[in-house]
Amino acid sequence: IFCEHESVLDDNFLSRLVSDGEFDNRLAELYFISALRNNGFSLEHKSNEGLDIWINDISGWGEFVCAHNTPEMERNSAINKTRKVNNNDTLLRITTVLKSKSNIIKRNLAKGLIHENEPVVLFLSTSLLIDPFPMNPEGDVCSFARALFPFSEPAVYVNVNTGEGKMSRKYQYGIPKKDVIVENDFFLNETNSLISAVVFSYCSIFYRYDNPTSLFKEGDDFIIFHNPLAQNPIQHGVIKCQQEYECEYEKNMSVTIRNIKA
């Protein structure tokens, strides 16, 4: 796989692949590049500095990142002998990665390595997390949305007189996690407007398919959220995906999220 995509990788990719702490991150990058190419995208390696890949189809950048478990998450998983973790633990890992990458993008802008009129798409892999898969309650958005927008977990409200129920979410800025607050307003923060969209992926080089006998291909696991405050929005449907969320925000009023693939 490395040899197949070597032409669009950094010159030091191979040395980083075999260095401590970099192996999993580089495999995530290989999966994203393979998925984009398999879906017909034209990619270019601009420089060993700056963001990971230039995507000709959007005239913009792709930046790849992989969320890792904390030692505490690993210990708890070993003790409980389960692949399930507290949802807020997973959320904290995702939001931490998003914030870190946003800061890197701003530094690259200041250095002139990217420009203000160029879209940037973050590709975030959850494949290494203990519980990497999104929850998708019927009639509701997937759980990854909670890292981007300030609302709580879904709840069903029932009218006791009619027996009718509906699912909804309440506004919840900041999610408490022990001695920290998980920030969950990434897409409503104008300082992140350089990021056009976030693409979540739960597959990897080692685990590529939901079912080996299915027609599931690399990239079919993509879940895309478009940034409602994006400085350079990308066209809907340009990236093939499993779920794609159109997001609108009326400042200080409301957030509307619609899965246009539903």
Side-chain angles (χ1 to χ4, degrees), residues 106-261:
K106 292 168 194 170
R107 289 198 292 270
N108 280 309
L109 177 67
K111 293 177 183 177
L113 297 173
I114 62 175
H115 301 99
E116 287 190 350
N117 64 337
E118 295 170 342
V120 177
V121 178
L122 280 185
F123 293 83
L124 194 158
S125 174
T126 62
S127 62
L128 287 180
L129 294 177
I130 293 168
D131 189 8
F133 303 106
M135 293 295 294
N136 295 280
E138 186 176 350
D140 193 45
V141 298
C142 95
S143 56
F144 290 154
R146 294 185 67 215
L148 303 169
F149 298 102
F151 46 65
S152 64
E153 292 189 60
V156 176
Y157 296 87
V158 179
N159 184 319
V160 294
N161 295 318
T162 65
E164 295 179 348
K166 67 176 182 178
M167 182 177 291
S168 66
R169 294 174 180 267
K170 292 184 177 180
Y171 179 86
Q172 182 184 356
Y173 173 73
I175 298 172
K177 170 68 173 68
K178 289 191 175 179
D179 56 345
V180 300
I181 296 294
V182 179
E183 296 181 5
N184 61 338
D185 65 338
F186 188 79
F187 266 179
L188 303 189
N189 189 331
E190 291 186 358
T191 63
N192 299 319
S193 62
L194 277 173
I195 297 171
S196 305
V198 173
V199 176
F200 293 96
S201 165
Y202 52 82
C203 289
S204 68
I205 291 296
F206 292 124
Y207 182 82
R208 298 193 191 187
Y209 313 106
D210 278 345
N211 184 336
T213 63
S214 73
L215 298 178
F216 194 89
K217 303 186 298 298
E218 291 175 343
D220 285 354
D221 61 313
F222 283 179
I223 297 171
I224 304 171
F225 286 88
H226 292 271
N227 187 350
L229 302 183
Q231 194 170 303
N232 305 295
I234 62 170
Q235 183 180 351
H236 294 168
V238 69
I239 299 177
K240 296 177 183 177
C241 58
Q242 183 182 105
Q243 299 178 54
E244 180 168 13
Y245 291 95
E246 176 185 54
C247 309
E248 297 178 359
Y249 176 50
E250 293 183 39
K251 197 165 185 180
N252 301 322
M253 290 293 290
S254 64
V255 174
T256 303
I257 304 175
R258 184 173 67 94
N259 183 1
I260 62 178
K261 300 284 281 188

